[in-house]
Short mmCIF file of all heavy atoms in Angstrom, two decimals:
data_model
loop_
_atom_site.label_atom_id
_atom_site.label_comp_id
_atom_site.label_asym_id
_atom_site.label_seq_id
_atom_site.Cartn_x
_atom_site.Cartn_y
_atom_site.Cartn_z
N ILE A 1 -99.38 18.10 -128.00
CA ILE A 1 -99.29 19.26 -128.89
C ILE A 1 -97.83 19.60 -129.18
O ILE A 1 -97.47 20.00 -130.28
CB ILE A 1 -100.04 20.46 -128.28
CG1 ILE A 1 -101.53 20.14 -128.15
CG2 ILE A 1 -99.85 21.72 -129.12
CD1 ILE A 1 -102.31 21.14 -127.34
N LEU A 2 -96.96 19.42 -128.18
CA LEU A 2 -95.53 19.64 -128.39
C LEU A 2 -94.98 18.71 -129.46
O LEU A 2 -94.20 19.13 -130.32
CB LEU A 2 -94.76 19.44 -127.09
CG LEU A 2 -94.68 20.63 -126.14
CD1 LEU A 2 -94.09 20.20 -124.80
CD2 LEU A 2 -93.84 21.75 -126.74
N PHE A 3 -95.39 17.45 -129.42
CA PHE A 3 -94.95 16.50 -130.45
C PHE A 3 -95.31 17.01 -131.84
O PHE A 3 -94.50 16.96 -132.77
CB PHE A 3 -95.62 15.13 -130.22
CG PHE A 3 -94.80 14.18 -129.40
CD1 PHE A 3 -94.59 14.41 -128.05
CD2 PHE A 3 -94.23 13.07 -129.97
CE1 PHE A 3 -93.84 13.54 -127.28
CE2 PHE A 3 -93.48 12.18 -129.21
CZ PHE A 3 -93.28 12.42 -127.86
N GLU A 4 -96.55 17.48 -131.99
CA GLU A 4 -97.01 17.96 -133.30
C GLU A 4 -96.16 19.11 -133.80
O GLU A 4 -95.69 19.13 -134.95
CB GLU A 4 -98.47 18.39 -133.20
CG GLU A 4 -99.44 17.26 -132.87
CD GLU A 4 -100.84 17.77 -132.60
OE1 GLU A 4 -101.06 19.00 -132.71
OE2 GLU A 4 -101.73 16.95 -132.26
N HIS A 5 -95.94 20.09 -132.93
CA HIS A 5 -95.25 21.31 -133.37
C HIS A 5 -93.74 21.13 -133.45
O HIS A 5 -93.07 21.82 -134.23
CB HIS A 5 -95.62 22.48 -132.45
CG HIS A 5 -97.05 22.91 -132.61
ND1 HIS A 5 -97.61 23.17 -133.83
CD2 HIS A 5 -98.03 23.12 -131.70
CE1 HIS A 5 -98.87 23.52 -133.67
NE2 HIS A 5 -99.15 23.49 -132.38
N ILE A 6 -93.18 20.24 -132.66
CA ILE A 6 -91.75 19.95 -132.80
C ILE A 6 -91.48 19.33 -134.17
O ILE A 6 -90.52 19.69 -134.85
CB ILE A 6 -91.27 19.03 -131.66
CG1 ILE A 6 -91.12 19.85 -130.37
CG2 ILE A 6 -89.94 18.35 -132.01
CD1 ILE A 6 -90.87 19.04 -129.14
N TYR A 7 -92.34 18.43 -134.59
CA TYR A 7 -92.20 17.85 -135.93
C TYR A 7 -92.27 18.95 -136.99
O TYR A 7 -91.46 19.00 -137.92
CB TYR A 7 -93.29 16.81 -136.16
CG TYR A 7 -93.18 16.11 -137.50
CD1 TYR A 7 -92.44 14.95 -137.64
CD2 TYR A 7 -93.81 16.63 -138.64
CE1 TYR A 7 -92.32 14.31 -138.86
CE2 TYR A 7 -93.70 16.01 -139.86
CZ TYR A 7 -92.96 14.85 -139.98
OH TYR A 7 -92.84 14.23 -141.19
N GLU A 8 -93.25 19.86 -136.85
CA GLU A 8 -93.41 20.95 -137.82
C GLU A 8 -92.18 21.86 -137.84
O GLU A 8 -91.75 22.30 -138.91
CB GLU A 8 -94.66 21.76 -137.49
CG GLU A 8 -95.96 21.01 -137.70
CD GLU A 8 -97.16 21.80 -137.22
OE1 GLU A 8 -97.00 23.01 -136.92
OE2 GLU A 8 -98.26 21.22 -137.14
N ALA A 9 -91.62 22.17 -136.66
CA ALA A 9 -90.46 23.06 -136.59
C ALA A 9 -89.24 22.43 -137.24
O ALA A 9 -88.45 23.11 -137.92
CB ALA A 9 -90.16 23.41 -135.14
N ILE A 10 -89.06 21.11 -137.05
CA ILE A 10 -87.94 20.41 -137.67
C ILE A 10 -88.06 20.46 -139.19
O ILE A 10 -87.11 20.76 -139.91
CB ILE A 10 -87.87 18.95 -137.16
CG1 ILE A 10 -87.51 18.92 -135.68
CG2 ILE A 10 -86.85 18.15 -137.97
CD1 ILE A 10 -87.67 17.55 -135.04
N VAL A 11 -89.26 20.14 -139.69
CA VAL A 11 -89.49 20.18 -141.13
C VAL A 11 -89.35 21.61 -141.66
O VAL A 11 -88.82 21.83 -142.75
CB VAL A 11 -90.90 19.61 -141.46
CG1 VAL A 11 -91.23 19.80 -142.93
CG2 VAL A 11 -90.96 18.13 -141.11
N ASP A 12 -89.79 22.58 -140.87
CA ASP A 12 -89.67 23.98 -141.26
C ASP A 12 -88.21 24.39 -141.44
O ASP A 12 -87.89 25.26 -142.25
CB ASP A 12 -90.35 24.88 -140.21
CG ASP A 12 -90.51 26.31 -140.68
OD1 ASP A 12 -90.96 26.52 -141.82
OD2 ASP A 12 -90.17 27.23 -139.91
N ALA A 13 -87.32 23.75 -140.68
CA ALA A 13 -85.89 24.04 -140.79
C ALA A 13 -85.24 23.29 -141.96
O ALA A 13 -84.04 23.43 -142.20
CB ALA A 13 -85.18 23.66 -139.49
N GLY A 14 -86.04 22.49 -142.67
CA GLY A 14 -85.51 21.78 -143.83
C GLY A 14 -84.79 20.50 -143.49
O GLY A 14 -83.94 20.04 -144.25
N ILE A 15 -85.11 19.91 -142.34
CA ILE A 15 -84.43 18.71 -141.89
C ILE A 15 -85.45 17.58 -141.71
O ILE A 15 -86.57 17.83 -141.27
CB ILE A 15 -83.69 18.96 -140.56
CG1 ILE A 15 -82.65 20.07 -140.74
CG2 ILE A 15 -83.03 17.69 -140.04
CD1 ILE A 15 -81.98 20.50 -139.46
N HIS A 16 -85.05 16.38 -142.07
CA HIS A 16 -85.93 15.22 -141.88
C HIS A 16 -85.75 14.69 -140.46
O HIS A 16 -84.61 14.51 -140.01
CB HIS A 16 -85.61 14.12 -142.90
CG HIS A 16 -86.71 13.13 -143.04
ND1 HIS A 16 -86.98 12.17 -142.08
CD2 HIS A 16 -87.63 12.95 -144.03
CE1 HIS A 16 -88.01 11.45 -142.47
NE2 HIS A 16 -88.41 11.89 -143.66
N PRO A 17 -86.84 14.45 -139.74
CA PRO A 17 -86.72 13.99 -138.34
C PRO A 17 -85.87 12.74 -138.16
O PRO A 17 -85.23 12.57 -137.12
CB PRO A 17 -88.18 13.73 -137.94
CG PRO A 17 -88.98 14.64 -138.80
CD PRO A 17 -88.25 14.70 -140.12
N THR A 18 -85.83 11.85 -139.16
CA THR A 18 -85.03 10.63 -139.02
C THR A 18 -83.54 10.89 -139.09
O THR A 18 -82.73 10.02 -138.75
CB THR A 18 -85.41 9.61 -140.11
OG1 THR A 18 -85.22 10.21 -141.40
CG2 THR A 18 -86.86 9.17 -139.97
N ASP A 19 -83.14 12.09 -139.51
CA ASP A 19 -81.71 12.42 -139.60
C ASP A 19 -81.10 12.76 -138.24
O ASP A 19 -79.90 13.00 -138.15
CB ASP A 19 -81.50 13.60 -140.56
CG ASP A 19 -81.86 13.24 -141.99
OD1 ASP A 19 -81.90 12.05 -142.30
OD2 ASP A 19 -82.11 14.17 -142.79
N PHE A 20 -81.92 12.77 -137.19
CA PHE A 20 -81.44 13.18 -135.87
C PHE A 20 -80.81 12.06 -135.06
O PHE A 20 -80.15 12.32 -134.06
CB PHE A 20 -82.60 13.75 -135.04
CG PHE A 20 -82.93 15.16 -135.36
CD1 PHE A 20 -83.99 15.46 -136.20
CD2 PHE A 20 -82.19 16.19 -134.84
CE1 PHE A 20 -84.29 16.76 -136.50
CE2 PHE A 20 -82.49 17.50 -135.14
CZ PHE A 20 -83.54 17.78 -135.98
N CYS A 21 -81.05 10.85 -135.44
CA CYS A 21 -80.65 9.71 -134.61
C CYS A 21 -79.17 9.78 -134.21
O CYS A 21 -78.31 10.00 -135.05
CB CYS A 21 -80.94 8.41 -135.34
SG CYS A 21 -80.83 6.96 -134.29
N GLU A 22 -78.93 9.64 -132.90
CA GLU A 22 -77.58 9.63 -132.32
C GLU A 22 -76.90 11.00 -132.34
O GLU A 22 -75.72 11.10 -132.02
CB GLU A 22 -76.68 8.61 -133.05
CG GLU A 22 -77.22 7.20 -133.08
CD GLU A 22 -77.03 6.47 -131.77
OE1 GLU A 22 -76.00 6.68 -131.13
OE2 GLU A 22 -77.93 5.72 -131.39
N MET A 23 -77.61 12.04 -132.70
CA MET A 23 -76.98 13.37 -132.78
C MET A 23 -77.11 14.11 -131.45
O MET A 23 -78.03 13.87 -130.66
CB MET A 23 -77.60 14.21 -133.89
CG MET A 23 -77.30 13.70 -135.29
SD MET A 23 -77.52 14.97 -136.54
CE MET A 23 -76.18 16.09 -136.18
N ARG A 24 -76.17 15.03 -131.20
CA ARG A 24 -76.19 15.84 -129.99
C ARG A 24 -77.21 16.97 -130.16
O ARG A 24 -76.87 18.12 -130.41
CB ARG A 24 -74.80 16.42 -129.70
CG ARG A 24 -73.74 15.40 -129.41
CD ARG A 24 -72.49 16.03 -128.79
NE ARG A 24 -72.09 17.27 -129.43
CZ ARG A 24 -71.30 17.35 -130.49
NH1 ARG A 24 -70.86 16.25 -131.07
NH2 ARG A 24 -70.96 18.53 -130.98
N THR A 25 -78.46 16.60 -130.02
CA THR A 25 -79.55 17.57 -130.13
C THR A 25 -80.18 17.75 -128.76
O THR A 25 -80.64 16.77 -128.15
CB THR A 25 -80.61 17.08 -131.13
OG1 THR A 25 -80.01 16.92 -132.41
CG2 THR A 25 -81.76 18.07 -131.23
N GLY A 26 -80.19 18.96 -128.26
CA GLY A 26 -80.79 19.26 -126.96
C GLY A 26 -82.28 19.51 -127.09
O GLY A 26 -82.75 19.98 -128.12
N VAL A 27 -83.01 19.18 -126.04
CA VAL A 27 -84.45 19.45 -125.97
C VAL A 27 -84.70 20.20 -124.68
O VAL A 27 -84.62 19.63 -123.59
CB VAL A 27 -85.28 18.16 -126.02
CG1 VAL A 27 -86.77 18.49 -125.97
CG2 VAL A 27 -84.96 17.35 -127.27
N PHE A 28 -84.97 21.51 -124.79
CA PHE A 28 -85.17 22.35 -123.61
C PHE A 28 -86.60 22.88 -123.61
O PHE A 28 -87.04 23.52 -124.56
CB PHE A 28 -84.21 23.54 -123.61
CG PHE A 28 -82.75 23.15 -123.62
CD1 PHE A 28 -81.79 24.02 -124.12
CD2 PHE A 28 -82.33 21.93 -123.12
CE1 PHE A 28 -80.45 23.67 -124.13
CE2 PHE A 28 -80.99 21.57 -123.13
CZ PHE A 28 -80.05 22.44 -123.63
N LEU A 29 -87.32 22.60 -122.53
CA LEU A 29 -88.71 23.03 -122.40
C LEU A 29 -88.84 24.02 -121.26
O LEU A 29 -88.29 23.81 -120.18
CB LEU A 29 -89.61 21.81 -122.15
CG LEU A 29 -91.08 22.07 -121.80
CD1 LEU A 29 -91.79 22.74 -122.96
CD2 LEU A 29 -91.77 20.77 -121.41
N GLY A 30 -89.56 25.12 -121.50
CA GLY A 30 -89.90 26.07 -120.44
C GLY A 30 -91.35 25.88 -120.08
O GLY A 30 -92.25 26.19 -120.86
N SER A 31 -91.60 25.30 -118.90
CA SER A 31 -92.97 24.99 -118.50
C SER A 31 -93.08 24.97 -116.99
O SER A 31 -92.12 24.61 -116.29
CB SER A 31 -93.38 23.63 -119.07
OG SER A 31 -94.69 23.31 -118.71
#
């Protein structure tokens, strides 16, 4: 479910998921 909504959040921000490659993008989960 996280995969699904992470994709939606990225698109919601106006960014294409393939534009992230090699970028300093953090992934922080509270669980």
Side-chain angles (χ1 to χ4, degrees):
I1 297 169
L2 275 171
F3 267 70
E4 296 172 3
H5 291 309
I6 284 171
Y7 183 90
E8 292 174 11
I10 293 169
V11 173
D12 191 47
I15 300 174
H16 198 286
T18 58
D19 294 341
F20 279 99
C21 192
E22 304 283 323
M23 292 200 68
R24 296 195 317 273
T25 300
V27 181
F28 301 155
L29 172 64
S31 180

